[in-house]
Amino acid sequence: MAPIAPQLDHVVLLLPHATLVDPPSWLTSNFTLTPGGTHAGGETQNTLILFADGTYLELIAFVDDKPECRKDHWWGKKDFGVIDYAFTVPDVESFDVKKLNDSLNAKETRVRYAEPTAGGRTREDGIEVKWKVVFPEGVERGDVPFWCLDVTERKLRVPINEMATKHACGAVGMAGVLAQIDQTRLSSIGEALAAIVDDRGGEDARFPVGTPSGTDGATAASIRIKESTNRTKPALDLSLVLQVAKGETRPSDIHQAIGSGKATILFES
């Protein structure tokens, strides 16, 4: 039996700070943006794109793109684009990192999770939000999910409401994350994901996860992995996959260059 029931919590999109402060049309013409705040420590700030299934896209930037803000940060060496994703659980008290690591060890993976670390941010309205994060070890950040476990009420961190979750592009939730991985690591990452979600993923290498709220009629979310066939791409290339309501017109996928990086957002219906 799975030690936990994972849910897709959020996906992280790293942007230049100027882009976060003054979002371009490829964001504002597709999505409703919700103010975030400044993280504890002051190195990063964020803005949220909230979805009806309880997930969100975190737009994050290092403050003023200062090198000292990137130094020693867990995402400090990442280029701009989709860089990571987080799982959560319905009952954070049920999360047991030892059981999770036991499952990973049973699969003989190199992945293990560190003990929870305190995290938080102060919202623009002054409210302090607290959580704990659990980061993987033995892999590149973004190969497998990290965990975000709320200490304060989740609605303070993820302020879902009808207005915030209505988007011009029609997205109602996350269909998942697509990870294109170099061939040398594909099998090991697949084994780790199988242990984390307690599902082999099938021939299509899709590892199913829940979402915090769910969406009526929506396809279940999943983490999808495939071999990268482009040798010019980095060893890990993440894309966000969003779901459009059944019967609605599927918008064009977003392939947006951001400095030396890029953001890829795909749509499914």
Side-chain angles (χ1 to χ4, degrees):
M1 296 295 291
I4 44 182
Q7 297 176 339
L8 182 56
D9 186 81
H10 70 278
V11 171
V12 182
L13 173 57
L14 179 63
L15 298 171
H17 190 249
T19 301
L20 185 74
V21 173
D22 185 15
S25 61
W26 67 269
L27 285 169
T28 58
S29 65
N30 284 296
F31 303 106
T32 299
L33 307 186
T34 297
T38 300
H39 291 100
E43 292 95 353
T44 56
Q45 295 176 335
N46 71 2
T47 295
L48 311 179
I49 297 175
L50 305 169
F51 298 104
D53 65 354
T55 63
Y56 67 96
L57 175 60
E58 178 180 24
L59 309 179
I60 193 169
F62 292 99
V63 174
D64 295 326
D65 289 315
K66 295 177 181 177
E68 55 265 37
C69 290
R70 279 185 174 263
K71 184 180 180 181
D72 299 327
H73 194 280
W74 48 81
W75 292 318
K77 295 182 179 179
K78 290 288 188 180
D79 205 345
F80 300 124
V82 178
I83 58 169
D84 213 339
Y85 63 102
F87 281 178
T88 192
V89 289
D91 176 14
V92 297
E93 297 300 324
S94 70
F95 185 86
D96 189 327
V97 70
K98 182 180 183 301
K99 288 184 178 180
L100 178 58
N101 284 332
D102 286 346
S103 295
L104 289 161
N105 289 336
K107 296 286 187 182
E108 298 183 348
T109 75
R110 296 181 180 179
V111 181
R112 68 177 313 298
Y113 281 89
E115 290 297 316
T117 301
R121 64 177 161 88
T122 302
R123 302 194 329 185
E124 287 190 351
D125 58 10
I127 294 176
E128 188 175 6
V129 186
K130 296 181 179 181
W131 60 78
K132 293 181 180 180
V133 287
V134 181
F135 288 123
E137 299 175 334
V139 287
E140 180 183 341
R141 190 57 53 81
D143 278 348
V144 296
F146 69 99
W147 299 79
C148 190
L149 310 171
D150 289 293
V151 175
T152 52
E153 289 185 277
R154 189 174 193 275
K155 66 181 181 181
L156 296 180
R157 178 172 65 91
V158 193
I160 298 290
N161 62 71
E162 186 175 358
M163 182 176 297
T165 58
K166 286 191 177 299
H167 303 288
C169 66
V172 295
M174 289 190 177
V177 175
L178 171 63
Q180 298 184 69
I181 304 170
D182 64 282
Q183 188 273 334
T184 60
R185 299 184 304 126
L186 188 65
S187 177
S188 62
I189 297 303
E191 288 294 329
L193 286 169
I196 293 167
V197 306
D198 195 32
D199 190 295
R200 295 296 304 173
E203 293 183 2
D204 59 357
R206 293 191 178 198
F207 300 87
V209 291
T211 53
S213 301
T215 302
D216 291 341
T219 302
S222 62
I223 308 304
R224 304 105 181 259
I225 64 172
K226 63 184 293 187
E227 181 180 346
S228 176
T229 58
N230 189 340
R231 294 181 181 272
T232 64
K233 287 185 176 182
L236 173 68
D237 186 30
L238 294 179
S239 302
L240 170 61
V241 188
L242 293 178
Q243 183 147 36
V244 177
K246 300 288 186 182
E248 296 295 324
T249 301
R250 187 178 72 84
S252 298
D253 295 334
I254 297 172
H255 300 277
Q256 180 64 44
I258 310 172
S260 58
K262 68 175 180 61
T264 301
I265 301 176
L266 310 174
F267 293 92
E268 293 181 352
S269 58

